């Protein structure tokens, strides 16, 4: 796919690494005393290539799409909840709206493939690739052409907010059935058994969970030889997940700080990582979900998430909740006195 070749991500220049470490170590504190805040400050400054990093015009993009597999009973909620929740986002009533308002984060909702026609709204991007994907229990979720369109959609949204001066971007999603897609992506991309990847999603009962596992295993049995990340996306992903892949890759290309939310967003990141491993330097994992698959994915990626709060909501909520800690990391880095500035003796 030609467009993927245009989404290559270069590694970050390490020229400032020593100076950044020295600046952190010279603050009026014991070495390493601010723990993960020190690592976050170093990472952000390194991405931006400056000794005075800043967070500008923060955004969260919430990609929405329907999944054909939802019609097979893999979710506790009906498919109509996808468009109903998008409407809730646009009315300002969802959790992500509350947290984004609290922390002055701009929010944009992208209809990548919801089976509903929305009225115009200033926060809504009408990017519908189609009215939902095919049911991957019966056939691949999308064609190569539609997969490329979804990748382009995500990249275009990131370019648009980059032009507005944004340098820190969170990725969220909404789509009934998308934990099933994420489970399949994880299993294939990490080559791990499906039982390590499937969770209860929106709150399945024991009986519903057993049905979900059985159905997803049937899907896995249909496609035993998939290896290429694009082929895996075409077979199992939702339009919103593929759009996130394109957005994550473009954000790293644009040297933006990439905030990754929970299970579905991390599955999208995993696909992007398999396509361009250098994006690992740009990504911050905001929380560890209650979904067992998310915990295994984070371990496989050697990722240390900022928050561990038993969340399992999606929407980008983890990104919004973690954002003030990112602000704190840069505030200490830029404003905290050094030993020399404060006239405080260093450890002998």
């Amino acid at each position: 796919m030609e467009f993927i070749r245009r989404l290559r991500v270069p590694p970050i220049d390490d020229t400032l690494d020593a100076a950044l470490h020295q600046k952190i170590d010279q603050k009026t504190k014991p070495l390493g005393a601010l723990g993960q805040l020190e690592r976050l400050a170093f990472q952000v400054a390194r991405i931006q290539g400056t000794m005075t990093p800043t967070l500008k015009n923060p955004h969260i993009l919430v990609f929405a799409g329907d999944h054909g597999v939802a019609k097979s009973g893999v979710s506790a909620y009906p498919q109509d909840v996808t468009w109903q929740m998008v409407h809730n986002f646009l009315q300002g009533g969802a959790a992500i709206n509350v947290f984004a308002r609290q922390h002055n984060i701009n929010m944009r909702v992208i209809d990548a493939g919801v089976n509903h026609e929305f009225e115009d709204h200033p926060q809504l991007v009408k990017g519908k690739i189609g009215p939902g994907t095919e049911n991957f229990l019966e056939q691949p979720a999308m064609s190569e052409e539609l997969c490329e369109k979804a990748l382009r959609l995500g990249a275009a949204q990131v370019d648009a907010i980059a032009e507005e001066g944004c340098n820190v971007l969170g990725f969220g999603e909404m789509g009934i059935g998308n934990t099933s897609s994420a489970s399949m992506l994880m299993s294939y991309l990490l080559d791990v058994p499906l039982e390590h990847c499937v969770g209860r999603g929106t709150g399945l009962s024991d009986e519903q969970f057993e049905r979900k596992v059985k159905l997803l295993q049937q899907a896995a049995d249909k496609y035993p030889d998939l290896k290429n990340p694009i082929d895996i996306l075409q077979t199992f992903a939702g339009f919103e997940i593929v759009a996130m892949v394109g957005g994550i890759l473009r954000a790293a290309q644009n040297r933006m700080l990439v905030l990754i939310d929970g299970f579905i967003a991390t599955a999208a990141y995993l696909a992007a990582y398999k396509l361009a491993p250098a994006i690992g330097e740009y990504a911050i994992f905001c929380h560890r979900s209650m979904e067992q698959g998310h915990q295994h994915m984070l371990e496989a990626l050697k990722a240390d998430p900022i928050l561990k709060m038993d969340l399992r909501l999606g929407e980008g909520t983890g990104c919004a909740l973690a954002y003030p800690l990112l602000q704190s990391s840069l505030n200490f880095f830029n404003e905290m006195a050094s030993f020399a500035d404060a006239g405080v003796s260093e450890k002998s």
Side-chain angles (χ1 to χ4, degrees), residues 98-119:
V98 173
F99 301 143
R101 281 195 298 267
Q102 179 184 1
H103 301 304
N104 297 311
I105 301 170
N106 297 295
M107 181 179 155
R108 197 167 292 178
V109 182
I110 299 94
D111 173 10
V114 181
N115 189 20
H116 185 82
E117 294 300 326
F118 297 100
E119 295 181 1

Side-chain angles (χ1 to χ4, degrees), residues 28-67:
T28 47
K29 60 174 181 58
L31 286 174
L34 284 176
Q36 198 168 353
L37 291 178
E38 298 186 19
R39 296 190 291 276
L40 290 171
F42 174 79
Q43 182 179 1
V44 178
R46 196 169 184 265
I47 290 168
Q48 296 181 3
T50 177
M51 299 298 291
T52 54
T54 58
L55 301 177
K56 298 178 181 177
N57 197 14
H59 274 69
I60 290 176
L61 298 182
V62 182
F63 292 88
D66 274 312
H67 292 247

Side-chain angles (χ1 to χ4, degrees), residues 80-316:
D80 279 350
V81 170
T82 302
W83 76 259
Q84 291 165 357
M85 280 302 300
V86 169
H87 186 262
N88 192 24
F89 297 150
L90 300 176
Q91 297 302 306
I96 185 56
N97 300 101
V98 173
F99 301 143
R101 281 195 298 267
Q102 179 184 1
H103 301 304
N104 297 311
I105 301 170
N106 297 295
M107 181 179 155
R108 197 167 292 178
V109 182
I110 299 94
D111 173 10
V114 181
N115 189 20
H116 185 82
E117 294 300 326
F118 297 100
E119 295 181 1
D120 292 344
H121 189 282
Q123 283 186 299
L124 176 68
V125 175
K126 294 184 177 181
K128 198 186 304 291
I129 307 300
T133 55
E134 302 295 335
N135 186 345
F136 64 67
L137 294 173
E138 301 167 357
Q139 64 187 89
M142 67 190 77
S143 66
E144 180 177 349
E145 178 186 4
L146 295 181
C147 186
E148 181 169 341
K149 284 184 177 180
L151 289 168
R152 289 179 180 274
L153 172 65
Q157 298 313 305
V158 171
D159 284 340
I161 62 170
E163 291 178 3
E164 298 172 11
C166 172
N167 69 0
V168 53
L169 175 59
F171 288 86
E173 43 59 44
M174 179 63 216
I176 294 300
N178 63 11
T179 60
S180 293
S181 284
S183 297
M184 300 303 291
L185 296 180
M186 174 188 170
S187 180
Y188 278 80
L189 292 168
L190 291 180
D191 193 22
V192 296
L194 195 56
E195 58 262 29
H196 296 318
C197 311
V198 183
R200 293 183 181 266
T202 48
L204 297 176
S205 67
D206 289 345
E207 182 180 350
Q208 290 170 321
F209 176 69
E210 289 175 9
R211 173 179 170 79
K212 179 179 180 180
V213 173
K214 181 180 179 180
L215 288 172
L216 296 188
Q217 187 59 58
Q218 289 174 5
D221 292 342
K222 284 174 63 72
Y223 307 101
D225 301 319
L226 292 178
K227 300 295 181 184
N228 183 282
I230 293 297
D231 292 339
I232 294 168
L233 286 171
Q234 288 175 211
T235 305
F236 300 117
F239 292 132
E240 86 284 18
I241 293 176
V242 179
M244 282 196 290
V245 173
I248 290 167
L249 289 168
R250 181 71 91 208
Q253 273 193 328
N254 288 338
R255 298 185 68 87
M256 302 167 84
L257 184 62
V258 181
L259 307 184
I260 305 298
D261 190 36
F263 181 45
I264 291 92
T266 305
Y269 168 86
L270 178 61
Y273 177 80
K274 292 292 184 178
L275 293 166
I279 66 170
E281 298 183 281
Y282 296 86
I284 288 177
F285 296 87
C286 293
H287 79 105
R288 185 185 68 189
S289 169
M290 281 289 285
E291 284 281 308
Q292 67 150 348
H294 192 221
Q295 297 170 31
H296 290 312
M297 259 197 292
L298 292 172
E299 290 170 6
L301 291 164
K302 297 180 172 57
D304 185 16
I306 296 175
L307 302 173
K308 300 177 181 68
M309 299 184 67
D310 298 341
L311 305 176
R312 55 180 183 86
L313 182 58
E315 303 178 6

